[in-house]
Amino acid sequence: MTTHEVFNQVPPLVGHDTAADPALLEGIEREGAGWALDEIHEVGRLAGTEEAREWGRLAERVPPRLHTHDRYGRRIDEVEYVPSYHRLMETAVSHGIHAAPWADDRAGAHVARAAKFYAWNVDAGHGCPISMTYAVVPALRANPELAARFEPLLTNRSYDFGLRDPETKTGLIAGMSMTEKQGGSDVRANTTTAVVQPDGTYRIVGHKWFTSAPMSDMFLTLAQAPGGLSCFLLPRVLPGGDANPIRFLRLKDKLGNKSNASSEIEYDNAIGWLVGEEGKGVKTIVEMVNMTRLDCVIGSASGMRSALVQATHHAQHRSAFGKHLIDQPLMRNVLADLALESEAATTAMMRLAGANDRAIQGDEGEAALRRLALAATKYYVCKRGPAVAGEALECLGGNGYIEDFDLARIYRELPLLSIWEGSGNVAALDALRAIGREPLALDAFFTEADLAAGADPRYDDAVASLKKELTSFDDLELRARRIVEQIAVVFQAGLLLRHAPSAVSDAFCASRLSRDWGSAFGTLPAGLDLAPILERAVPGF
């Protein structure tokens, strides 16, 4: 008798196209980036290969190492990465997932970049410097001279790793260094100081509690100048080749995101260039915040889709009690419920990518919509990500809890996106701030919502309920999460009613709007047509 025969195990999920996602592809066409489909599918097919998945696994399993000194005792402040990390970075940069859209005037360039970022899902950690490089460019434009010097290198599709004078390199990666241990999201509490020098540069002294990707070529940072909190650009290597005195204290030991080095640093009279005006540091970085918030939504939507695809693939191949799991009624309910959450997140993400693209081109209405809808969606979608990953992990049973399977990594990764660029309370309060300070933002949101008016009475009731919630200013801050969740769900529902198959929008309205739904996934009501929902959830080959 054979004692070790392997059967009823699921084949590896490789050889698929991560961009073959109906909600993603429909959104790409709708938001004006259909011209980029070939490259988006190229990225998706590469992400589905065994080789690329292995790059992601190794980059996560063998995290970066900090070297503060060389073997002779000289200070070097360098981080060492495994080769697979550089393969990931090289691939992302060569496909323009970093800052390339800023050098592309075509309508839909930023939508195409969002879709590629979504599809390139093999490792989330290296996405941090890719995202920061994207977000730095609009802030850097507050100093036209610096933008003229460095933007062509930031947008170039060349990954040129190593510490050298940035103007001697073929491509640059940028980071951000904002928060301090005593302030966190309250960046105005920063104590780092900046003193102007006779040559117009500033000498910067202080610490930063979180500085991710510290081997980046340059960083935007906040410091207190004589005129108040200001934004500065600090290169790792100064013109001429000398190291800027930026000292690494340690790397963070994080729950996930381990391929990305997150460090604590000190500025020891480091040299920086002013970006924008003194005292206008927060205003200077506002557009940067919009970009990184959008990437948090993209990352969460991508992680949800990845988790869903893993769970669906498992259910297609694993048998229990005489049927494949995907044919078991209760498992179909769970998977369909997860699919609804994923599709709603992806559809909202693509609409926001389109609004972002058009706002960059000068569309004030789209900029107003982005102002409120992005903050609300960042709050809500990034909260839903960990819940989706946890339920998807459970679909695999014990295998889901094992590090050899992708879901454990996805599960550890997704909480970060709710924290990054403002945790839940910060995002929720910022959405309310948009309503209070920028009336056009609320007008733009309800103009968008009205496009689905009359499509479903449950939706019309939800919009009316939201408007009623906004008529009272009592305990507004206390109710912030409740209100912003309603905004995000109404935004998703309206988009699904307009663009998704009726089975998807019907199930979403029944569960998320009418609340015929439990407190866990897999509690959709009877009578829904689950088959079309599940068909859109299967991996794309």
Side-chain angles (χ1 to χ4, degrees):
M1 177 180 176
T2 301
T3 60
H4 192 76
E5 180 183 357
V6 177
F7 62 97
N8 198 25
Q9 286 287 345
V10 176
L13 178 54
V14 293
H16 64 296
D17 178 1
T18 62
D21 170 357
L24 176 70
L25 297 176
E26 292 159 11
I28 291 167
E29 294 283 3
R30 197 165 53 242
E31 301 299 338
W35 52 265
L37 278 172
D38 286 346
E39 187 176 10
I40 294 167
H41 279 297
E42 181 183 337
V43 171
R45 287 190 294 270
L46 179 58
T49 63
E50 186 172 3
E51 181 183 26
R53 310 310 293 188
E54 185 67 1
W55 295 342
R57 187 189 73 83
L58 286 173
E60 180 79 1
R61 282 298 186 92
V62 188
R65 295 180 60 195
L66 171 62
H67 301 286
T68 56
H69 297 77
D70 68 10
R71 57 183 172 173
Y72 302 108
R74 290 186 288 252
R75 189 94 199 197
I76 57 172
D77 295 294
E78 293 187 11
V79 175
E80 179 185 10
Y81 299 89
V82 294
S84 59
Y85 174 86
H86 296 298
R87 296 297 300 273
L88 294 166
M89 288 291 294
E90 183 180 27
T91 302
V93 171
S94 68
H95 283 92
I97 306 176
H98 63 319
W102 298 107
D104 189 341
D105 292 332
R106 287 177 291 182
H110 293 267
V111 176
R113 181 259 173 192
K116 287 184 282 188
F117 197 22
Y118 177 97
W120 183 238
N121 62 7
V122 294
D123 168 71
H126 83 286
C128 181
I130 294 299
S131 177
M132 291 190 297
T133 304
Y134 176 63
V136 158
V137 170
L140 192 61
R141 290 176 174 178
N143 184 321
E145 188 271 330
L146 290 177
R149 287 170 63 186
F150 297 119
E151 189 172 323
L153 294 169
L154 290 165
T155 58
N156 195 27
R157 294 190 180 201
S158 173
Y159 177 59
D160 189 356
F161 183 77
L163 296 180
R164 303 191 302 281
D165 180 341
E167 290 178 282
T168 68
K169 302 183 74 174
T170 60
L172 301 178
I173 296 296
M176 304 170 192
S177 191
M178 305 293 174
T179 60
E180 299 180 4
K181 52 180 171 279
Q182 80 285 347
S185 296
D186 183 7
V187 293
R188 294 186 185 278
N190 285 2
T191 59
T192 297
T193 59
V195 178
V196 68
Q197 305 298 301
D199 64 357
T201 64
Y202 286 72
R203 286 285 183 173
I204 298 177
V205 176
H207 74 275
K208 295 297 172 181
W209 190 233
F210 280 101
T211 299
S212 287
M215 290 297 286
S216 298
D217 297 294
M218 52 187 55
F219 299 91
L220 284 184
T221 197
L222 292 173
Q224 300 287 354
L229 188 66
S230 306
C231 182
F232 298 89
L233 181 70
L234 277 71
R236 278 295 314 274
V237 178
L238 298 167
D242 290 338
N244 208 1
I246 302 172
R247 308 305 184 201
F248 297 173
L249 303 182
R250 63 172 175 169
L251 300 185
K252 301 287 193 181
D253 186 7
K254 297 173 290 183
L255 170 68
N257 202 251
K258 291 181 178 293
S259 64
N260 174 38
S262 295
S263 63
E264 296 172 28
I265 67 169
E266 288 185 348
Y267 298 130
D268 185 9
N269 277 299
I271 293 175
W273 300 301
L274 181 67
V275 179
E277 301 176 35
E278 274 196 15
K280 300 292 180 64
V282 173
K283 181 180 179 181
T284 300
I285 66 172
V286 163
E287 191 66 5
M288 180 195 78
V289 170
N290 280 330
M291 301 305 133
T292 47
R293 280 188 175 170
L294 176 59
D295 278 3
C296 287
V297 174
I298 298 169
S300 292
S302 177
M304 284 192 227
R305 174 68 184 183
S306 297
L308 170 67
V309 165
Q310 291 287 336
T312 306
H313 176 72
H314 178 87
Q316 285 178 307
H317 295 277
R318 179 79 167 179
S319 295
F321 309 109
K323 294 180 180 179
H324 282 110
L325 290 178
I326 202 165
D327 296 322
Q328 302 281 5
L330 188 51
M331 180 59 80
R332 291 176 68 78
N333 195 319
V334 171
L335 293 172
D337 212 352
L338 293 173
L340 289 176
E341 202 72 44
S342 172
E343 178 146 353
T346 300
T347 304
M349 177 270 286
M350 290 306 297
R351 177 64 183 94
L352 290 169
N356 184 57
D357 196 279
R358 289 181 280 276
I360 290 167
Q361 299 299 323
D363 188 320
E364 294 182 2
E366 291 289 272
L369 175 66
R370 182 188 65 175
R371 176 68 183 90
L372 175 55
L374 179 55
T377 302
K378 194 278 179 186
Y379 165 78
Y380 185 69
V381 166
C382 294
K383 288 288 185 197
R384 300 302 294 158
V388 167
E391 192 66 56
L393 183 154
E394 189 175 329
C395 291
L396 273 66
N399 283 353
Y401 203 64
I402 304 300
E403 290 289 349
D404 291 341
F405 294 82
D406 286 351
L407 269 167
R409 178 150 48 110
I410 296 170
Y411 181 70
R412 287 186 286 104
E413 187 66 42
L414 281 170
L416 171 62
L417 294 165
S418 192
I419 298 168
W420 192 25
E421 205 55 80
S423 57
N425 285 353
V426 172
L429 291 171
D430 191 49
L432 291 192
R433 190 176 300 113
I435 293 171
R437 295 182 180 177
E438 302 176 39
L440 287 177
L442 191 60
D443 291 344
F445 175 81
F446 281 118
T447 297
E448 178 82 7
D450 285 345
L451 295 175
D456 189 296
R458 296 165 296 192
Y459 175 76
D460 294 339
D461 289 346
V463 173
S465 176
L466 173 59
K467 289 180 177 178
K468 182 178 180 181
E469 191 82 48
L470 290 168
T471 59
S472 172
F473 293 96
D474 296 337
D475 298 320
L476 194 61
E477 186 171 324
L478 182 69
R479 294 184 291 123
R481 287 191 175 210
R482 176 188 177 92
I483 294 170
V484 173
E485 178 178 318
Q486 286 180 268
I487 291 171
V489 174
V490 163
F491 184 58
Q492 291 180 336
L495 291 170
L496 292 177
L497 283 166
R498 290 162 55 201
H499 305 304
S502 58
V504 173
S505 59
D506 180 46
F508 189 90
C509 290
S511 54
R512 276 68 171 172
L513 298 185
S514 286
R515 298 294 177 180
D516 190 357
W517 197 31
S519 57
F521 288 107
T523 54
L524 295 173
L528 297 174
D529 186 3
L530 303 186
I533 302 171
L534 291 170
E535 287 171 6
R536 293 167 69 83
V538 299
F541 286 90

